[in-house]
Amino acid sequence: MPRPTGPPIGLALTRTAKAVSRAFDDALAAAGGSLPAWLIMISLKTRSLGNQRELAEAIGIRGATLTHHLNTMEADGLVIRRRDPANRRIHQVELTDRGETLFRQLAAAASTHDQRLRTGFSDEEIATLEQLLRRLQHNVSGEAHDRASRSDA
Amino acid sequence: MPRPTGPPIGLALTRTAKAVSRAFDDALAAAGGSLPAWLIMISLKTRSLGNQRELAEAIGIRGATLTHHLNTMEADGLVIRRRDPANRRIHQVELTDRGETLFRQLAAAASTHDQRLRTGFSDEEIATLEQLLRRLQHNVSGEAHDRASRSDA
DNA sequence: TATTGTTATACTCTATAACTATA
DNA sequence: TATAGTTATAGAGTATAACAATA
């Protein structure tokens, strides 16, 4: 069983992720939003999603958690849910005008945040970082590991 | 106001961080721990910290939040807190034998997780990743940005 | 019965404010 | 008064289990 060559990369990643995520949360909050709301809106705008389950999966949360956020967002007048006439089990989620406005504000905040993140990085370095991140994600998101492979229920 | 050159790096980072953090949380939980407990223990083991405030800062949480975790850990028999005879305001935190045992188990789990993360990465790529992460963290952890610079309270 | 989504409930992590103990 | 830490309380995000609606 070979040991890691250097200091745990997971620890460095955890620390950076915490600091960067917190900064991003703060930026979104200052613009009147939140990370889940932003992820939901960006998914609604950029992807063609069939149902809420796909939406939840795209964001990395469970269906009930998505419902929770949609309830808040609907109460805030950001989205409306209406049933699909063709299959009334499906609730179609749409941004309201107010939702569109907030989306643009959050997009601006995210852009500003991104420029702050990119400070001192060349385009090539950003590309390298993106590639490394993708590979990291792949390494953990592949097959479930041992712990989950035995089903005793 | 220049716009980002490519897709938001913050979004990619958020997604990767979420997936990797979740996998790490799961690994620690499977070993009988949690992320905060692990961060606390690793700080106790590797750093010489004067007081709990420094410990909290090292982990990136507030003092009251640290107390909360220490309460749980003490109830679980992982740490003990005793007052410094020289300055009885200071509570010295120490790992118990049971805490040491769990620390080793979590270290093993973290190591396994790290090897999973490193899959397919060369040492050079890991070094590059570490450097990029450090720079990202620096970009957000520096001076507070605009939002916070006007004090109206 | 299977699918889609919601409701009810609870857990974890975090935070702020008020408090106690010590100096 | 200032410093170290705790307690009380709250809020955000997430999850599972049970439920309702629709097919």
Side-chain angles (χ1 to χ4, degrees):
Chain A
M1 48 188 85
R3 289 175 317 182
T5 318
I9 188 67
L11 193 58
L13 187 61
T14 296
R15 285 192 176 128
T16 300
K18 188 175 214 165
V20 174
S21 296
R22 197 165 294 194
F24 192 30
D25 286 349
D26 289 349
L28 291 174
S34 68
L35 179 62
W38 167 244
L39 293 176
I40 288 168
M41 288 196 273
I42 211 170
S43 288
L44 290 177
K45 293 288 285 187
T46 64
R47 307 190 184 195
S48 59
L49 297 155
N51 55 33
Q52 287 190 23
R53 196 168 174 176
E54 288 178 25
L55 178 53
E57 251 178 41
I59 296 170
I61 58 178
R62 296 308 180 101
T65 305
L66 175 60
T67 295
H68 168 74
H69 292 304
L70 289 177
N71 286 347
T72 303
M73 292 172 74
E74 194 163 42
D76 291 345
L78 302 176
V79 299
I80 52 176
R81 283 176 281 194
R82 57 171 73 99
R83 287 173 179 269
D84 184 341
N87 181 348
R88 288 182 45 78
R89 285 178 301 194
I90 294 178
H91 293 203
Q92 292 173 328
V93 183
E94 293 172 31
L95 284 183
T96 62
D97 286 351
R98 193 170 163 194
E100 295 277 357
T101 300
L102 181 58
F103 176 76
R104 283 190 294 273
Q105 290 169 342
L106 295 184
S111 173
T112 299
H113 173 258
D114 233 62
Q115 284 173 56
R116 191 152 82 110
L117 272 186
R118 286 165 185 264
T119 301
F121 283 78
S122 68
D123 287 355
E124 196 180 5
E125 285 173 327
I126 291 290
T128 300
L129 177 59
E130 281 172 344
Q131 190 228 21
L132 294 174
L133 290 177
R134 263 196 310 276
R135 287 164 59 195
L136 282 175
Q137 192 163 349
H138 175 263
N139 279 354
V140 298
S141 68
E143 64 294 345
H145 51 301
D146 289 340
R147 175 181 74 74
S149 65
R150 59 187 66 185
S151 62
D152 41 6
Chain B
M1 50 189 85
R3 289 176 318 185
T5 318
I9 188 66
L11 193 57
L13 187 61
T14 296
R15 285 191 176 130
T16 300
K18 188 175 213 165
V20 174
S21 296
R22 196 165 295 193
F24 192 31
D25 286 349
D26 289 349
L28 291 174
S34 68
L35 179 61
W38 168 245
L39 293 176
I40 288 168
M41 287 195 275
I42 211 170
S43 288
L44 289 178
K45 293 288 285 188
T46 64
R47 307 190 183 196
S48 60
L49 296 155
N51 56 33
Q52 286 190 24
R53 197 169 173 177
E54 288 178 26
L55 177 53
E57 250 178 42
I59 296 170
I61 59 178
R62 296 307 179 100
T65 305
L66 175 60
T67 295
H68 168 73
H69 292 305
L70 289 178
N71 287 346
T72 303
M73 292 173 73
E74 194 163 41
D76 291 345
L78 302 176
V79 299
I80 52 175
R81 283 177 281 194
R82 57 170 73 99
R83 288 175 179 266
D84 183 342
N87 181 349
R88 288 181 45 79
R89 287 177 300 193
I90 294 178
H91 294 201
Q92 291 173 329
V93 183
E94 292 172 31
L95 284 183
T96 62
D97 286 352
R98 193 170 164 196
E100 295 276 357
T101 300
L102 180 58
F103 176 75
R104 283 190 294 272
Q105 290 169 342
L106 294 184
S111 173
T112 299
H113 173 257
D114 234 61
Q115 283 173 56
R116 191 151 82 109
L117 271 186
R118 285 166 186 265
T119 301
F121 283 77
S122 69
D123 287 355
E124 195 181 5
E125 285 174 325
I126 292 290
T128 299
L129 176 59
E130 280 172 346
Q131 191 227 22
L132 294 174
L133 290 176
R134 263 197 309 276
R135 287 164 60 195
L136 282 176
Q137 192 163 349
H138 176 262
N139 280 354
V140 298
S141 69
E143 65 294 343
H145 50 302
D146 288 340
R147 174 182 75 74
S149 66
R150 61 187 65 186
S151 60
D152 41 8

